[in-house]
């Protein structure tokens, strides 16, 4: 083991970015690479902040702020979602872009990492306002995106429709259709089978691997699962776990959660949310209500945080009663909580592995689009599983070789891949 001390030039007050930088510092210390290279990989390559006007339905003009950050582009064009949320800020986007670099490298995709976002509450706007906002934002960042430059995708607060507007705006500017400029598109304009379900499905692929690794030999119906977040990731993870016969005992979203120790009927909850005007769990009748804070501390076998970052903290980590944590969200665990879980012997399957299913099928979508040759759902899922299981095994190998926790092992594997590629390419000029 080689312990390099990386000079921390890069500091921030934002807890999400702090988390990403501290995870990086912890992992990079295990690599035998020049300090300058370690410092280089810590920095975002380029970042753009845009302020732009949008005409609302009542005729008023509102100014919005958005960002696009390319963290690292050594392995290929950068890849990463666009987030619409009132919590968005530049440091958060920097952290998420950095995690995309490690995530893509970990599952061996030929991509660098990026992320974008707009400070907006998407639920407070009509479809036409969201279309205007998305089109204007796309045009503001158009210099940074392209099928060989940087390829956006959905993230929190955005979806396939958002990608359709982005693709159309880019295509109208170019004068011809460029489906490969975004992934997570609707199927009828070049989307991939299985993309919508991919992140949640990948979370469950990793959960199954972890249950095997950590010797949970019981049948699925005797293994209880708690899911925080019922958006694209949480809902699809809960659905897949339920389909496989696991006992999903609690789910939640921003409006709060539901708990039934005998198991919830996830199909009913999914139907309910799909019919709800705000696409929320709020108002569902039957199971006991729990708050998001209570949900994280429920007794269960598996906890899947699939909502926001920074949910598991030094404060609640000692009270978490799950035996295994599988991260559907990006950055749900703060470093102090990581330390507590290591000490308590609760394995955490880290975000850059557990939620990599989304970007993996994004890659499939991009490849299919460029080849104009489309695969069926079985093929998508078969390839997805193979990639995730291989990455999982590699992480376990690194974990054992370095005697570290799984997050550090995943980061070591990914950072090393980017480091070696950087050294092979050499520094320009
Ligand atoms: N937003 C997703 C993530 O955080 C997917 C990104 C993509 O498909 O490019 O991994």
């Amino acid at each position: 083991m080689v312990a390099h001390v990386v000079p921390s030039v890069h500091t921030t007050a934002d807890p999400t970015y702090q988390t990403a930088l501290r995870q990086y510092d912890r992992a990079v210390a295990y690599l035998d690479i020049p300090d300058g290279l370690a410092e280089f990989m810590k920095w975002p390559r380029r970042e753009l902040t845009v302020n732009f006007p949008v005409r609302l339905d009542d005729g008023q003009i509102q100014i919005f702020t958005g960002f696009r950050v390319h963290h690292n582009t050594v392995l290929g064009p950068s890849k990463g979602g666009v987030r619409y949320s009132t919590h968005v800020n530049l440091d958060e986007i920097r952290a998420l872009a950095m995690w995309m670099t490690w995530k893509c490298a970990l599952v061996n995709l030929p991509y660098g990492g990026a992320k974008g976002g707009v400070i907006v509450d998407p639920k407070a706007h009509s479809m036409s306002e969201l279309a205007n906002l998305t089109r204007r934002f796309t045009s503001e960042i158009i210099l940074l995106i392209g099928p060989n430059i940087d390829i956006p995708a959905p993230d929190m607060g955005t979806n396939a429709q958002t990608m359709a507007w982005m693709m159309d705006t880019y295509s109208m500017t170019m004068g011809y259709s460029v489906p490969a400029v975004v992934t997570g598109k609707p199927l009828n304009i070049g989307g991939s089978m299985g993309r919508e379900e991919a992140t949640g499905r990948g979370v469950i692929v990793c959960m199954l691997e972890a249950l095997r690794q950590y010797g949970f030999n019981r049948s699925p119906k005797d293994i209880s699962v708690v899911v925080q977040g019922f958006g694209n990731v949480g809902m699809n993870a809960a659905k897949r776990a339920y389909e496989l016969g696991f006992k999903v005992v609690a789910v939640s979203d921003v409006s709060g959660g539901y708990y039934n120790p005998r198991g919830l009927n996830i199909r009913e909850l999914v139907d309910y949310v799909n019919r709800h005007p705000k696409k929320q769990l709020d108002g569902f009748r039957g199971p006991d209500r729990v708050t998001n804070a209570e949900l994280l501390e429920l007794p269960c076998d598996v906890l899947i945080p699939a909502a926001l970052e920074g949910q598991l903290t030094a404060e609640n980590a000692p009270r978490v009663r799950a035996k295994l944590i599988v991260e559907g969200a990006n950055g749900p665990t703060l470093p102090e909580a990581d330390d507590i879980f290591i000490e308590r012997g609760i394995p955490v399957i880290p975000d850059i592995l557990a939620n990599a299913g989304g970007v993996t099928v994004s890659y499939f979508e991009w490849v299919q689009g460029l080849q104009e040759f489309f695969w069926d759902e079985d093929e998508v899922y078969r390839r997805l599983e193979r990639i995730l299981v291989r990455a999982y095994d590699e992480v376990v190998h690194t974990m054992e070789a370095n005697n570290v926790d799984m997050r550090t092992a995943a980061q070591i594997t990914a950072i090393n891949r980017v480091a070696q590629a950087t050294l092979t390419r050499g520094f320009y000029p």
Side-chain angles (χ1 to χ4, degrees), residues 79-81 100 103 115 151 153-155 183 195 330 355 358-359 362:
K79 188 86 192 78
M100 285 311 301
K103 193 186 302 187
K115 202 82 172 197
I151 305 119
D155 196 79
T183 60
R195 174 62 187 86
N330 291 311
N355 74 28
V359 73
S362 273

Side-chain angles (χ1 to χ4, degrees), residues 316-383:
N316 62 10
R319 294 195 301 267
V320 165
R321 282 183 280 172
K323 300 183 186 74
L324 171 70
I325 298 170
V326 186
E327 295 184 332
N330 291 311
T333 310
L334 294 181
E336 299 78 16
D338 261 332
D339 291 338
I340 294 167
F341 294 137
I342 292 170
E343 208 184 285
R344 294 185 56 205
I346 301 173
V348 177
I349 315 305
D351 47 5
I352 61 169
L353 174 63
N355 74 28
V359 73
T360 302
V361 177
S362 273
Y363 167 64
F364 297 164
E365 178 176 332
W366 182 73
V367 167
Q368 292 170 81
L370 292 174
Q371 298 186 339
E372 300 188 46
F373 177 73
F374 291 87
W375 315 342
D376 62 24
E377 196 175 63
D378 280 354
E379 169 121 32
V380 168
Y381 288 149
R382 206 161 33 81
R383 287 179 184 267

Side-chain angles (χ1 to χ4, degrees), residues 83 155-156 227-231 233-234 252-254 292 296 304-311 327-332:
R83 173 174 287 206
D155 196 79
M156 196 182 288
V227 183
Q228 186 200 32
F230 215 62
V233 183
S252 70
D253 66 10
V254 276
N292 267 289
L296 295 172
I304 303 179
L308 277 174
E309 50 263 26
Q311 295 300 295
E327 295 184 332
N330 291 311

Side-chain angles (χ1 to χ4, degrees), residues 67-71 79-83 92-94 96-98 100 103 113-117 150 154-155 330:
F67 312 97
R68 187 75 187 167
V69 172
H70 296 177
H71 172 259
K79 188 86 192 78
V82 170
R83 173 174 287 206
E92 182 204 37
I93 299 298
R94 286 171 170 153
L96 292 161
M98 190 179 198
M100 285 311 301
K103 193 186 302 187
K115 202 82 172 197
D150 173 29
D155 196 79
N330 291 311

